[in-house]
Amino acid sequence: MTSEAEEPTLTIDELAARAGVTVRTVRFYSSKGLLPPPVIGPRRVGHYGDGHVARLALIEELQRQGMTLAAIERYLGQLPPDLTPHDLAIHRAVVASWAPDLVETVSRRELERRAGRPLAAEDIERLAAMSVVAPGDGDDAETFRVDSGLLRLGVQLMDVPLSQDAILAARKVLIEHSRAAAHELAQLFRGEVAERDARDVKSLSAHMHPLVVQALLTTFQRSLREELSEWLSGSRAG
């Protein structure tokens, strides 16, 4: 699962570290057909790319939702075979939206294991600025409260070539606009369900939640792609 422009360069150890899992887990998923085979390079060494990382993240998210391996296999089997890492990230975001907020207190070692990489003091400060981690309770400086739903995103953002101020400004924009959209959608749905039985309202909410999240993600992705395309076109013309 790699894009055409991507050159698979990760060894299985690097893939496991990037995804925050063990090499044994990668091999297990591969043996079950949940991961596509690597590209075999010199010395018969398998190389993996961003598509493998994205698919591993999706598999792990599905497992966190309590899905069995058989159910995960069926879910992945229904996906188009040419999905890009970005497409897989959209699917994972939709799946993650089904889960309740989960904030846990973990040790620094466990935090680094989940992040899939060592974390320097400045890395933890950056994650804290994004509200992904916070100091743990008590006097233990080596424990942290971590938002499990945001950790993988926060770790990925650490590698984005943007300043901390730009990332925080972007976060503010997203929060403000998503809250406005959520408020307007809630008002719309409230008018539709006002006369219904409470059980019907609960059922409708359960069905609409993932659909609305997927619709928002898809429309945002397309809008952002169009904006970036216009910006790049204007830059070339200038």
Side-chain angles (χ1 to χ4, degrees):
M1 294 297 297
T2 58
S3 65
E4 292 181 2
E6 175 205 353
E7 184 69 25
T9 58
L10 301 174
T11 65
I12 191 170
D13 296 274
E14 293 168 336
L15 171 65
R18 180 80 66 85
V21 300
T22 65
V23 170
R24 183 178 180 181
T25 296
V26 174
R27 288 183 173 141
F28 176 73
Y29 289 154
S30 297
S31 70
K32 296 295 183 180
L34 301 180
L35 279 179
V39 175
I40 304 301
R43 301 180 181 177
R44 303 292 300 170
V45 175
H47 293 282
Y48 302 82
D50 290 341
H52 293 90
V53 177
R55 181 164 281 236
L56 268 175
L58 175 57
I59 293 170
E60 288 289 294
E61 191 62 56
L62 291 169
Q63 281 211 315
R64 276 192 287 270
Q65 299 301 321
M67 290 182 67
T68 64
L69 284 175
I72 292 173
E73 185 175 0
R74 287 194 299 272
Y75 181 95
L76 296 178
Q78 294 172 356
L79 299 180
D82 57 347
L83 288 184
T84 68
H86 295 292
D87 296 328
L88 289 167
I90 292 292
H91 278 274
R92 188 183 69 81
V94 173
V95 173
S97 75
W98 303 342
D101 294 335
L102 180 60
V103 177
E104 302 174 83
T105 299
V106 301
S107 66
R108 185 186 185 113
R109 181 176 180 180
E110 176 63 13
L111 177 62
E112 291 183 335
R113 187 193 71 78
R114 296 188 184 189
R117 60 195 283 179
L119 297 172
E122 54 267 29
D123 295 329
I124 293 179
E125 289 177 4
R126 195 169 188 185
L127 290 173
M130 291 186 281
S131 300
V132 176
V133 302
D137 300 327
D139 300 326
D140 189 351
E142 289 298 300
T143 63
F144 302 89
R145 289 176 57 78
V146 55
D147 187 324
S148 301
L150 290 178
L151 179 58
R152 193 180 297 275
L153 174 62
V155 171
Q156 291 174 335
L157 283 174
M158 291 196 301
D159 296 326
V160 174
L162 290 174
S163 68
Q164 181 73 6
D165 289 342
I167 290 176
L168 293 179
R171 178 176 180 270
K172 182 179 179 182
V173 169
L174 289 171
I175 289 175
E176 289 179 352
H177 285 275
S178 62
R179 282 179 177 168
H183 176 73
E184 292 189 26
L185 287 170
Q187 292 290 99
L188 175 64
F189 295 146
R190 191 173 291 122
E192 288 290 316
V193 303
E195 304 300 325
R196 299 192 184 188
D197 184 87
R199 288 175 297 180
D200 293 336
V201 174
K202 186 175 181 180
S203 175
L204 178 64
S205 176
H207 283 86
M208 289 302 298
H209 185 183
L211 294 176
V212 169
V213 171
Q214 185 168 18
L216 287 171
L217 287 169
T218 302
T219 54
F220 176 76
Q221 183 187 36
R222 290 174 180 171
S223 298
L224 183 59
R225 187 186 298 122
E226 291 170 1
E227 288 288 332
L228 291 176
S229 178
E230 290 178 6
W231 172 58
L232 290 173
S233 299
S235 299
R236 294 192 190 99

